[in-house]
Amino acid sequence: MGGSRRMDDGSFLFSFRIILALCSILLVWTNYRRHLRDYYVMATKQLLFVSTSSSLILDDGVVSPSFERPISYSLQRENTFQNTYNLYYRCGDRTPLHADMEHILNFTTFVDIDKKLLFMGDSVSVQNAQGFQEAARVNKTQRTVLRYSWGTHEGLFVAPTSRGGVVAGWRITDLLRSSRENKPLPNSGGGGWVKSDVNAILAYNYTLSNGTETHTLGSFDTIIYRIPHGWIKLRDVTRDAIHETVQLAHDLFGITNVIFLTLPFISNILTRDDLALLFETNAIIRDYASLYHNKTNNHHNGNTSIDGVQNVLVLDFGPFADSLTQWNARLLGFNASSIETSDYLFERLQCCPRRGFQRAIAQVCAEKVAHNAKDCPRNMFSLDGMHWCSETLNGRLNGGLACLLGCLYNSQSAQNVGTCEKHCNNKFMSLGDGLAAPSTRPDRGQRLDRTSNKGPYRWRKSRNKAY
């Protein structure tokens, strides 16, 4: 009996020690999880997202890029965008964004890139280029303006990045067409350009960050084109015109990849016919890009692809901006259940009738005012019904562009460019399930046959231009 009691005592002591050890392990694991959670919360407050570029997240939220890949980017929580190079199109001290909008727009994109990029289009494209230069942290001391459009409005400018890439902007008021060579330059309409500007920018010399290597630009890798709607009519945006732009961009600048931005609603969309034509134009842009990628771009003259141009991608900025306008309309109290059927886009300010800037209240106002009111308190995403508030939207815009560039140049992404392109647009050009893009926009692969500028729509002189 005594031996049995001693055995029971030993078993109890052994079991007690096991339980104590398990409790100690549980306590250590709980503390570890708490510290891990605290670290994660701290890190996500500082760094919202790091791209799939194998970047390293440092304790202070700064991204150290992997130099094995041409493109890396990070999205840092809190908007620290300064509008460093954009001197004219600024929203400044306006009514702050609604809290829900602030939540999805309040971040800053930083880009590390070793590729040479050319932004081309009207003053909205110039604004985009200046914003991307800030995101890419170009060398300010080597930034050069080769031509001003008028006054100190930049028309042709270029700067190197810290990794040997280049970001340049070129102002033009049409698609890039051979027939526009030697026509009047901006701020004139007609899309004029001159070969001397081509030669000047390709001869641009810059020094790498190590201070010892000097390079001549020579050519560009990618052109990012914002079609200057406002200067040209939507019916002139045909597949043939787009194809000529891609061909000429390759011939003049040596580009191997193209990114087009789709077009948003702007103030000179005056009727439902105009709005329908805008959706059709964006479908043509998507269609051209999709079919080009699949090497089946068989429009009426039989062209399939251009030797040397590998991909044509789309940043779907149009539906993204339209969704912001629709969201703002709801916040102002408009019936904005559908961008296609509601009248909220056509309630306008009676502003600047001589120049025709009849801005949509739902797009530019922070408070609802009566139709034909002279003005309103302005919001923080649309500057004037044409330009955008870079302070607010450049996080999304630059993030989307950097993501698409990663699709083109980062080896893993390049294996399936189409899928990667869709991912980038879903990530950066969507507001989520609650506010999807217009339901009637045509699918990206839908075939449309606008190969000329003849169509069923009523036309008027374009009155709202991106200056």
Side-chain angles (χ1 to χ4, degrees):
M1 293 292 293
S4 176
R5 187 181 300 111
R6 283 195 299 272
M7 186 176 295
D8 290 343
D9 290 343
S11 298
F12 173 78
L13 183 61
F14 176 77
S15 299
F16 178 76
R17 288 173 176 171
I18 292 295
I19 293 172
L20 185 62
L22 291 174
C23 288
S24 299
I25 293 172
L26 182 62
L27 181 61
V28 170
W29 172 244
T30 301
N31 287 333
Y32 172 75
R33 289 187 62 189
R34 186 178 71 251
H35 289 305
L36 185 64
R37 181 196 62 201
D38 292 343
Y39 175 79
Y40 175 78
V41 170
M42 177 191 68
T44 52
K45 285 181 179 178
Q46 295 175 331
L47 190 64
L48 177 65
F49 174 81
V50 178
S51 73
T52 57
S53 60
S54 302
S55 297
L56 302 176
I57 306 176
L58 307 181
D59 290 341
D60 61 357
V62 177
V63 172
S64 176
S66 167
F67 287 91
E68 296 177 358
R69 296 196 177 191
I71 312 293
S72 62
Y73 66 97
S74 66
L75 311 183
Q76 182 173 300
R77 176 58 69 186
E78 302 301 334
N79 191 342
T80 59
F81 185 79
Q82 299 295 312
N83 252 339
T84 304
Y85 306 111
N86 173 17
L87 303 180
Y88 292 99
Y89 303 110
R90 299 180 174 211
C91 291
D93 187 18
R94 293 186 172 193
T95 303
L97 287 172
H98 187 276
D100 290 341
M101 280 190 175
E102 179 78 11
H103 175 70
I104 66 165
L105 296 174
N106 185 25
F107 64 89
T108 305
T109 300
F110 296 104
V111 184
D112 287 284
I113 184 169
D114 66 5
K115 296 299 179 182
K116 296 175 286 187
L117 313 179
L118 175 60
F119 286 74
M120 185 170 277
D122 57 18
S123 56
V124 178
S125 182
V126 168
Q127 185 183 15
N128 295 344
Q130 292 164 337
F132 200 86
Q133 284 185 334
E134 182 173 335
R137 292 162 286 193
V138 298
N139 187 324
K140 191 172 184 178
T141 62
Q142 294 191 67
R143 188 177 187 271
T144 302
V145 180
L146 299 172
R147 175 172 52 78
Y148 290 95
S149 292
W150 81 99
T152 54
H153 287 259
E154 297 178 348
L156 184 62
F157 52 95
V158 59
T161 72
S162 61
R163 290 180 57 188
V166 166
V167 181
W170 183 307
R171 189 160 182 268
I172 193 169
T173 55
D174 200 339
L175 287 160
L176 186 60
R177 311 291 294 270
S178 58
S179 62
R180 307 298 193 260
E181 184 178 1
N182 297 322
K183 300 296 184 183
L185 301 176
N187 202 34
S188 296
W193 61 274
V194 291
K195 191 67 70 66
S196 59
D197 280 347
V198 177
N199 296 335
I201 198 166
L202 295 184
Y204 170 72
N205 293 318
Y206 58 99
T207 304
L208 300 186
S209 57
N210 59 22
T212 60
E213 296 182 49
T214 299
H215 286 208
T216 299
L217 179 56
S219 65
F220 286 97
D221 297 303
T222 296
I223 190 170
I224 299 165
Y225 214 103
R226 192 270 181 189
I227 297 172
H229 175 212
W231 286 98
I232 63 173
K233 298 175 182 179
L234 288 173
R235 66 175 177 181
D236 293 330
V237 184
T238 66
R239 268 195 304 277
D240 284 350
I242 293 172
H243 193 75
E244 182 183 359
T245 294
V246 175
Q247 178 73 67
L248 194 54
H250 174 68
D251 293 344
L252 293 175
F253 305 109
I255 61 97
T256 55
N257 289 289
V258 181
I259 298 174
F260 282 104
L261 276 66
T262 53
L263 301 170
F265 170 87
I266 57 175
S267 294
N268 62 324
I269 299 291
L270 299 179
T271 69
R272 293 193 186 281
D273 282 348
D274 294 341
L275 191 61
L277 187 59
L278 175 68
F279 294 152
E280 179 185 321
T281 300
N282 283 335
I284 288 172
I285 295 170
R286 296 187 196 99
D287 182 54
Y288 178 89
S290 178
L291 295 174
Y292 188 98
H293 178 66
N294 294 323
K295 300 294 186 285
T296 57
N297 188 16
N298 294 308
H299 49 297
H300 80 283
N301 63 8
N303 289 333
T304 55
S305 62
I306 296 167
D307 289 341
V309 178
Q310 300 167 2
N311 295 284
V312 179
L313 301 186
V314 169
L315 183 70
D316 225 351
F317 181 78
F320 166 69
D322 291 347
S323 292
L324 283 178
T325 298
Q326 184 180 7
W327 191 358
N328 190 60
R330 293 175 182 173
L331 294 173
L332 297 186
F334 285 99
N335 175 15
S337 58
S338 169
I339 193 171
E340 302 87 3
T341 61
S342 299
D343 293 328
Y344 67 93
L345 292 176
F346 304 107
E347 292 196 27
R348 305 295 180 107
L349 296 177
Q350 191 183 25
C351 176
C352 317
R354 182 177 64 84
R355 299 178 72 179
F357 290 173
Q358 298 172 318
R359 298 169 178 130
I361 294 168
Q363 186 173 48
V364 303
C365 296
E367 297 177 14
K368 189 175 183 180
V369 296
H371 178 55
N372 283 330
K374 290 186 177 180
D375 208 346
C376 65
R378 298 303 180 91
N379 64 38
M380 273 299 296
F381 72 87
S382 176
L383 174 65
D384 54 13
M386 170 67 76
H387 302 89
W388 304 93
C389 296
S390 300
E391 304 94 325
T392 302
L393 298 191
N394 265 37
R396 289 258 178 174
L397 180 62
N398 292 333
L401 289 173
C403 187
L404 288 181
L405 291 166
C407 296
L408 295 171
Y409 296 111
N410 292 345
S411 58
Q412 286 183 334
S413 302
Q415 294 175 5
N416 195 335
V417 174
T419 300
C420 185
E421 176 193 33
K422 182 178 180 181
H423 163 77
C424 294
N425 279 302
N426 287 341
K427 185 174 187 63
F428 290 101
M429 297 291 107
S430 169
L431 300 182
D433 295 336
L435 279 160
S439 59
T440 61
R441 79 175 179 184
D443 292 336
R444 191 175 187 276
Q446 179 178 334
R447 291 304 305 271
L448 293 171
D449 294 323
R450 193 204 299 168
T451 54
S452 70
N453 60 5
K454 296 179 181 179
Y457 298 97
R458 294 180 290 114
W459 294 100
R460 58 185 55 80
K461 185 177 180 180
S462 182
R463 294 186 293 175
N464 185 14
K465 299 176 181 178
Y467 292 90

